[in-house]
Amino acid sequence: MSLYKQWTDMVVEYVKTKGEAAFWKEYSDIETRIYKNFLANHSEVKKSSITNLAKEFDASIEFIMGFVDGINDSLKTPYDLEKVTADEELVFDIDFEKLYFNMLDAKAEYLFDLPQWEAIFSVEKRKEIATAYKQSKIVRNENKIGRNDACPCGSGKKYKKCCGK
């Protein structure tokens, strides 16, 4: 069984037995400790195995795999999570703009409000990323059909007399 599968199975079992609130409390505590460390040392690329991260942050390998799952999209070279092993050395070369954007997307206020971000981005830069995030969520219909345009269904009728009724 892959470590990633162990992580997803553990989440399901944890939520069943202890509840979703208990899961998020424990996971967010671990995640916050790790991110504080990674952000405080942002100038160096962290290299470590899941096993070593588990020891360093006093967490199970499943929770660390969950952290890797969460940060994976923000890495310059993401991993195939199904193939990651506990003792394989992982390189956490983080795209910090993408990470901040993804934290906004995850609505992880406890992470994107960490004071360690101040050493990485100015307040203005963080606002710029937040604005880009908000803009990415706005849906714009570029090809608006006018009432008197031909109906896109191909009937030959005007839109207002066909699908626009």
Side-chain angles (χ1 to χ4, degrees), residues 6-97:
Q6 281 179 249
W7 153 245
T8 56
D9 289 350
M10 184 275 295
V11 171
V12 170
E13 191 58 36
Y14 195 109
V15 170
K16 279 184 190 176
T17 57
K18 298 179 183 175
E20 191 172 343
F23 167 77
W24 281 111
K25 180 178 179 348
E26 185 170 350
Y27 179 72
S28 63
D29 288 346
I30 293 166
E31 190 177 37
T32 301
R33 287 197 317 266
I34 297 170
Y35 274 118
K36 281 182 177 179
N37 179 281
F38 276 41
L39 296 174
N41 300 303
H42 68 276
S43 57
E44 59 187 62
V45 174
K46 178 89 169 178
K47 296 178 182 178
S48 185
S49 68
I50 289 178
T51 302
N52 288 339
L53 285 174
K55 289 175 189 167
E56 183 179 348
F57 294 103
D58 191 29
S60 70
I61 59 171
E62 289 85 6
F63 274 113
I64 299 299
M65 185 64 211
F67 166 77
V68 173
D69 182 18
I71 199 171
N72 197 43
D73 288 340
S74 303
L75 298 177
K76 292 178 183 170
T77 307
Y79 290 96
D80 179 352
L81 297 177
E82 290 289 343
K83 294 180 180 173
V84 171
T85 63
D87 296 320
E88 170 186 353
E89 183 177 74
L90 303 176
V91 178
F92 295 95
D93 192 7
I94 303 167
D95 178 338
F96 286 98
E97 278 193 42

